[in-house]
Amino acid sequence: MSGVLAFEVARPVVLGVVQGAGVGLMAIGLVLIYKSSRVFNFAAGEFATVGAFGFYLTKSHVPFLVAALIGVLAALGTGLLTERLVIRPLANRPRVTLLVATAAVAIFVIAFQFLAGAQGKLFGAKALVSGNAFRLVGVFVSWQEIVIVVVLAASGAALAWFFGRTDLGLATLATSQEPTAARLMGIRLNRVAMLTWGLAGALGGVAGVLLPPLTQNFTPAFGTTDLLIPAFTAAVLGGMTSVPGAFVGGLVLGLVQNLTQFNVSSNRLPGAPSVAVLVVLVVVLVVRPTGILGREA
Amino acid sequence: MPVLDGADRRAPAPGPDGDGARRPTAVPVLRADDVSIRFGGLQALTDVSVRVEEFEIVGLIGPNGAGKTTIFNCITGFYRPQRGRILFKGEDVSDLPPHERSALGMGRTFQNVGLVKTETVIDNMLTAQHAAVEYGAVAGTLGSPPTFGAERRLRRQGEAILELLGLARLRDDPVAGLPYGTLKRVEIATALATDPDLLLLDEPGSGMGPEEADRLGDELLALRREFDLTIVMIEHHVPLVVRVCDYVYVLNFGQLLTEGLPGEVQRHPEVVAAYLGDEAPEAEEAAERALEERGVEA
Amino acid sequence: MARTLERPSAGGTPSPPRTTVSELPGRGFQPTPAGWAARAGAVLAPLMVGVWYVRSNAPVRSDALATAAVIAIGALSLNVLVGYTGQISLGHQAFIGIGAFTSAYIISESHQPFLVGVVVALLVGAVQAVVLGLIALRVRGLYFALVTLAWGKVAEQCLFRLKSFTRGGAGAEAPRPSGFTTDKAYLVVCLVGLALILLVDWRLVATKAGRAMQALRESPQVAANYGVDVKGYTLYAFAVAGAYAGVAGALFASRRLTVQSGDFDFAGIALTYLIVTVVGGLRRRGGIVAFSLLYVLGGEYLPDLARAIGVRTIEVNAGYYIQALSAVLAILTLIFQPDGLGTITAPVGRWLRGERFQLAHGGGALGRGGGGDARP
């Protein structure tokens, strides 16, 4: 295979799948929250950032896996706090109000990061594991990329199983469609809301822990600036309601972003990936608002 | 141009002024021709034709779900029927959006009150005069001097209509806090403020007791005279319909069940069966009384 | 109107108890002379502070106050969309950035005077907003919010880095108008800009376009029934918001003298306008201006306050105190006091116009569900 093809196609495809899996996981979080609370959660990006900070600030003090767990738990806690302090008091308000409230949560978390000392622009994120696993169409695929994809995909699959097969998962779906009926059947709506917000936080946290090593660094607020819009677009591709659709949407977005990144020179068109995401978003919303990968669930 | 489709099915009827004839004119104010609309699998209206002459008050009755509000929505442009057309003052308005039909002179009220709830009564009256405003949007935004005078005139006009309906003291009240019956009256005021030739009222008497409905009847007759109105109303109060309407259409399951003079329609066996149901005897009695009263008036 | 109501009404008109407008309750209130004096004092005092400020070596930087004026115009622009029309925009830094780069381009590349830059920025701002508005006609509500978010990102990453338009990363120069090059003099320019926008905004809501927007926000059906072209006025709202934002951008550009894409950073800035608008109070012009000022003053003084109470501060990040505080205020506003700062400024405004001072007056921010018992 020629090196050009490797650079223009194979490399972005590998990167796209890995990043897309992270975006897909965040998209699942957005879908869960939308299904249970009918909220567009603009704080989702910061769940990822909190996870990343939780991980990288503790990494040098505790074992690797413990640090990762701390990161995920920090994000989970952020999700729970958001639900308890912001979403629940506003439960009966118009949805736009809730959207603004979650945006305010994002702003707060971002400002907090800077105040807490994130004065530098870049944070180093060393590789999780080193070494290349194999060579594919002329590009090396690293162990790290494989680990990331496997963990992310396994999380996605576990969630799909949880919401498709278990009682609690099905109860969550029931609340989204028939809140009153669900309440009558003894499902506690607050519990379900806590569950989904906590889960969405944790999912963001997983993405936040795993994605930075790919680029070897991250910036404060990267969850909101880099991941939030692709994640929403992925969720929209899945019609905002499909858990598997959101994950697949994430993969599509990862590919779209990386293929444009590698193939459109920033001299000709700066910020091409962001343009591509906007185009995908608008086209999907205008042409097929129910989503392309979605099925009403 | 529409032509009088010779086959007029109506017997001569007592007109609005009680002169004993309902004369079909060449250009009725409103004609709905064979209107059909379906939503998904539900056939909401099938070939419904309605004709309203100038200065008439026409009643539209039928059980819940018969398609009364649906035909209103087709007439005012909120729904686009799959078949059929709507002619307003002789002009085919089938392709016009609702706001253009409103500007042409269709005023309408809604079953569950169509007002801007966060605003005051007078602000609703001002908004309702939108189509009549003399200045352009940009001139208004840039504060061009003539707009100030124009605004004062709009306000006076709105206040005058409120006074006429006895609503003046509610002028500065926010709509949201008003009781339901009052809202229905405020809504009629805003509909009048759109300067309509044809007023479509969706259950103006709902939530009213017999006496209030009676007063509403008087009021509608007076408003017709005052504003040279033609009125179509959906109404469940049979006595009210019988008392004020010149002509009545009965809808059932999205189809025209029958039409005719209030007195005839009300005795029609299918109407009694489909619409009045078990309450038929009492309702009929009440309607009978209303008819007598009207005879006395005429 | 073809028909007026002055003519004598026909005989059979029902005559329910009539109240003429002059008899309405609450109309009769007139402040006492002392009351008027208090009101005059309340207006004059800030003016005198202003005069003193301009003449002295004031402790607050003029530059900061100019920033407050720019933020206020930007937030008023957002208020046209979110407050009046009910359209959400999460990409407002794009609106303002486009105005800024346009003005800079016109002044430094096309060598036109400052005022031409402002006017062109206003027009370009309106046009780009209308393009977004065309999408809003197809894509509604929360989904449209996503589009604005993505649009803001595209503006920052792509549009503002186009070399031909913005000189890429180097930054476009935007000199101030001659005679207004000092910070104090330029503050006057910004204040004049803010005053003009406030005037336009006042007339906007007092005339048919503003009423049309408010009606279509609450119910497109009711608006259409009133004769309002819902699509047309949605686009009009975008045009007005874009025009305000264009002005804000032009003033912003020359305040900084150069503009860079980083000035329109998405996470920090777009959402800040939203927060300022919400805390100031949707549809509360006075509240929005007041909170813009507080926001900037907070940015200036909160770090000192934090140091005074012993919080370790990193100088470069000091601006984030006010951002964090405002975010909390925004959430509290949404939960407890939907009118935001307008809860205070609106009664003060009415009092100044000669009414009684009373706090309670209907309102309702993002719409508190739209009024209780109207459904049968």
Side-chain angles (χ1 to χ4, degrees):
Chain A
M1 280 287 174
S2 77
V4 173
L5 187 64
F7 183 76
E8 287 179 349
V9 181
R11 192 67 212 143
V13 165
V14 170
L15 263 182
V17 167
V18 180
Q19 284 179 353
V23 169
L25 215 54
M26 281 181 66
I28 292 177
L30 293 171
V31 165
L32 290 182
I33 285 175
Y34 184 70
K35 280 166 91 83
S36 73
S37 321
R38 298 276 141 182
V39 174
F40 271 31
N41 175 27
F42 278 82
E46 288 320 291
F47 293 171
T49 319
V50 166
F53 273 107
F55 177 49
Y56 290 97
L57 294 179
T58 54
K59 194 164 52 115
S60 47
H61 308 292
V62 294
F64 179 87
L65 279 177
V66 176
L69 192 65
I70 289 174
V72 174
L73 286 177
L76 186 147
T78 312
L80 287 178
L81 278 177
T82 306
E83 195 277 326
R84 187 68 195 83
L85 297 179
V86 179
I87 303 302
R88 207 180 291 179
L90 290 168
N92 299 318
R93 299 299 180 79
R95 291 197 261 162
V96 175
T97 302
L98 283 151
L99 184 157
V100 175
T102 58
V105 170
I107 282 271
F108 178 79
V109 177
I110 290 170
F112 184 79
Q113 289 160 33
F114 284 104
L115 288 178
Q119 73 269 45
K121 267 305 205 192
L122 284 180
F123 284 77
K126 286 206 202 84
L128 300 168
V129 281
S130 55
N132 287 326
F134 53 85
R135 217 179 126 108
L136 181 79
V137 211
V139 294
F140 288 105
V141 176
S142 68
W143 278 114
Q144 162 171 288
E145 283 163 348
I146 289 174
V147 167
I148 293 173
V149 146
V150 166
V151 173
L152 291 173
S155 311
L159 278 162
W161 170 80
F162 174 72
F163 285 99
R165 297 276 180 277
T166 66
D167 288 348
L168 189 55
L170 291 170
T172 309
L173 295 190
T175 55
S176 68
Q177 276 148 20
E178 285 294 336
T180 319
R183 193 182 294 118
L184 290 176
M185 288 171 62
I187 296 168
R188 293 168 69 178
L189 296 187
N190 282 344
R191 283 284 170 80
V192 171
M194 278 176 66
L195 173 79
T196 49
W197 280 86
L199 258 180
L203 288 173
V206 172
V209 167
L210 290 179
L211 287 185
L214 277 180
T215 45
Q216 275 140 38
N217 56 55
F218 65 101
T219 53
F222 78 97
T224 298
T225 52
D226 299 341
L227 298 176
L228 184 66
I229 297 169
F232 261 121
T233 308
V236 166
L237 271 171
M240 278 315 284
T241 48
S242 160
V243 170
F247 191 77
V248 176
L251 294 178
V252 170
L253 261 291
L255 291 174
V256 165
Q257 283 186 294
N258 279 287
L259 284 170
T260 43
Q261 176 81 55
F262 277 76
N263 290 292
V264 182
S265 126
S266 67
N267 281 328
R268 279 224 321 278
L269 184 71
S274 64
V275 179
V277 172
L278 176 68
V279 169
V280 171
L281 179 65
V282 171
V283 167
V284 173
L285 287 176
V286 169
V287 177
R288 249 197 96 163
T290 49
I292 287 175
L293 310 160
R295 48 186 175 108
E296 260 316 307
Chain B
M1 270 303 284
V3 283
L4 184 65
D5 58 357
D8 197 84
R9 300 143 294 188
R10 300 167 194 182
D17 300 314
D19 62 355
R22 191 205 192 206
R23 291 175 296 262
T25 51
V27 184
V29 171
L30 176 73
R31 252 178 70 183
D33 287 350
D34 299 322
V35 171
S36 301
I37 188 167
R38 105 189 336 268
F39 302 109
L42 178 78
Q43 186 73 38
L45 290 177
T46 316
D47 295 329
V48 174
S49 294
V50 171
R51 183 188 173 93
V52 181
E53 305 292 348
E54 199 171 21
F55 307 132
E56 274 187 336
I57 299 184
V58 168
L60 201 55
I61 64 173
N64 285 327
K68 303 184 297 292
T69 298
T70 308
I71 185 85
F72 260 33
N73 281 334
C74 290
I75 292 169
T76 48
F78 289 101
Y79 294 159
R80 293 287 167 91
Q82 275 101 11
R83 277 195 301 130
R85 37 174 218 163
I86 309 289
L87 295 150
F88 181 52
K89 295 190 277 193
E91 201 183 320
D92 189 341
V93 296
S94 308
D95 293 328
L96 295 185
H99 70 270
E100 287 183 31
R101 301 191 200 192
S102 165
L104 284 177
M106 280 190 191
R108 183 213 166 140
T109 68
F110 291 84
Q111 199 173 347
N112 45 18
V113 183
L115 293 165
V116 183
K117 289 172 194 140
T118 48
E119 294 195 337
T120 60
V121 171
I122 187 68
D123 281 340
N124 270 278
M125 296 298 286
L126 294 175
T127 313
Q129 297 177 69
H130 184 86
V133 178
E134 309 149 28
Y135 59 81
V138 176
T141 306
L142 296 180
S144 103
T147 61
F148 289 78
E151 280 298 310
R152 276 195 296 275
R153 282 191 292 280
L154 292 178
R155 192 167 285 268
R156 270 205 301 277
Q157 174 77 3
E159 287 170 348
I161 295 174
L162 287 179
E163 280 190 32
L164 197 71
L165 290 175
L167 297 167
R169 85 208 122 74
L170 303 177
R171 191 187 65 169
D172 295 317
D173 290 1
V175 165
L178 298 173
Y180 184 66
T182 311
L183 287 173
K184 291 297 264 189
R185 290 173 54 79
V186 172
E187 201 190 3
I188 291 177
T190 58
L192 290 172
T194 64
D195 191 18
D197 298 312
L198 172 67
L199 188 58
L200 299 129
L201 303 174
D202 199 339
E203 298 192 20
S206 74
M208 291 185 184
E211 276 174 41
E212 282 171 292
D214 237 28
R215 246 206 351 254
L216 176 71
D218 288 334
E219 210 161 39
L220 291 179
L221 291 169
L223 286 176
R224 166 169 69 180
R225 225 166 308 159
E226 186 83 12
F227 290 85
D228 299 328
L229 287 174
T230 304
I231 299 175
V232 183
M233 65 179 200
I234 297 172
E235 189 47 69
H236 282 302
H237 275 266
V238 178
L240 177 61
V241 171
V242 169
R243 195 155 81 81
V244 303
C245 290
D246 304 301
Y247 202 76
V248 176
Y249 288 89
V250 186
L251 279 177
N252 198 18
F253 295 114
Q255 283 172 307
L256 217 49
L257 185 64
T258 183
E259 60 182 288
L261 302 177
E264 302 166 5
V265 163
Q266 174 228 344
R267 276 186 276 268
H268 195 286
E270 276 186 76
V271 176
V272 174
Y275 181 48
L276 302 172
D278 296 337
E279 315 159 40
E282 303 95 79
E284 204 174 352
E285 232 170 80
E288 207 77 58
R289 270 200 309 278
L291 206 59
E292 271 168 33
E293 260 175 58
R294 183 174 154 157
V296 173
E297 260 178 18
Chain C
M1 266 201 147
R3 197 185 289 133
T4 57
L5 283 166
E6 307 325 332
R7 66 185 170 172
S9 63
T13 312
S15 32
R18 287 191 185 183
T19 315
T20 53
V21 173
S22 54
E23 299 164 6
L24 289 172
R27 284 275 110 186
F29 178 75
Q30 276 293 327
T32 59
W36 278 120
R39 286 168 173 85
V43 174
L44 284 176
L47 278 181
M48 283 164 67
V49 171
V51 170
W52 163 79
Y53 164 76
V54 172
R55 295 169 62 101
S56 70
N57 290 320
V60 182
R61 293 185 298 119
S62 309
D63 187 43
L65 294 183
T67 306
V70 171
I71 290 181
I73 298 173
L76 286 169
S77 157
L78 193 55
N79 177 49
V80 172
L81 291 181
V82 185
Y84 299 153
T85 321
Q87 292 282 355
I88 190 109
S89 164
L90 298 173
H92 226 62
Q93 89 283 17
F95 282 48
I96 288 156
I98 285 171
F101 280 112
T102 303
S103 169
Y105 185 89
I106 294 295
I107 298 171
S108 60
E109 300 286 321
S110 307
H111 308 289
Q112 297 296 316
F114 174 78
L115 262 186
V116 176
V118 175
V119 170
V120 175
L122 181 153
L123 294 174
V124 171
V127 169
Q128 67 90 22
V130 167
V131 172
L132 213 52
L134 287 170
I135 296 175
L137 296 181
R138 298 289 307 272
V139 178
R140 285 170 196 286
L142 301 178
Y143 290 97
F144 178 68
L146 293 184
V147 174
T148 62
L149 192 72
W151 169 237
K153 183 78 175 165
V154 165
E156 180 205 343
Q157 296 277 310
C158 174
L159 225 48
F160 300 160
R161 291 182 188 177
L162 288 172
K163 283 218 167 60
S164 52
F165 178 45
T166 65
R167 292 212 184 156
E173 284 173 35
R176 291 175 184 176
S178 61
F180 295 94
T181 47
T182 67
D183 279 356
K184 257 181 203 170
Y186 191 71
L187 169 62
V188 174
V189 175
C190 290
L191 288 178
V192 168
L194 175 60
L196 287 176
I197 294 290
L198 283 171
L199 215 59
V200 167
D201 201 66
W202 167 52
R203 288 323 292 168
L204 174 72
V205 291
T207 55
K208 74 179 215 182
R211 287 194 296 264
M213 289 172 196
Q214 314 238 27
L216 71 89
R217 178 192 70 233
E218 290 301 318
S219 162
Q221 284 80 28
V222 172
N225 192 43
Y226 283 168
V228 171
D229 177 354
V230 171
K231 288 183 178 176
Y233 277 96
T234 303
L235 294 180
Y236 189 79
F238 274 92
V240 171
Y244 288 11
V247 173
L251 292 174
F252 176 90
S254 292
R255 184 188 68 80
R256 290 283 295 273
L257 298 171
T258 58
V259 220
Q260 294 172 332
S261 64
D263 295 336
F264 307 100
D265 154 40
F266 147 80
I269 306 205
L271 301 179
T272 300
Y273 283 104
L274 188 64
I275 302 266
V276 169
T277 311
V278 165
V279 179
L282 290 174
R283 300 195 280 288
R284 302 290 178 210
R285 227 176 283 132
I288 289 171
V289 173
F291 191 68
S292 303
L293 180 63
L294 288 179
Y295 188 87
V296 168
L297 292 180
E300 294 275 298
Y301 293 116
L302 274 185
D304 295 344
L305 197 66
R307 259 191 302 277
I309 59 172
V311 181
R312 187 177 57 91
T313 314
I314 301 150
E315 204 57 52
V316 277
N317 292 338
Y320 290 101
Y321 278 106
I322 187 64
Q323 204 173 343
L325 181 66
S326 304
V328 173
L329 283 177
I331 292 168
L332 292 176
T333 301
L334 291 173
I335 295 176
F336 297 110
Q337 196 56 266
D339 280 341
L341 211 55
T343 317
I344 302 163
T345 56
V348 170
R350 282 195 297 273
W351 176 75
L352 288 175
R353 286 196 293 273
E355 292 180 30
R356 267 198 192 90
F357 187 85
Q358 61 189 80
L359 274 177
H361 209 274
L366 290 163
R368 279 176 283 198
D373 52 357
R375 286 193 166 265

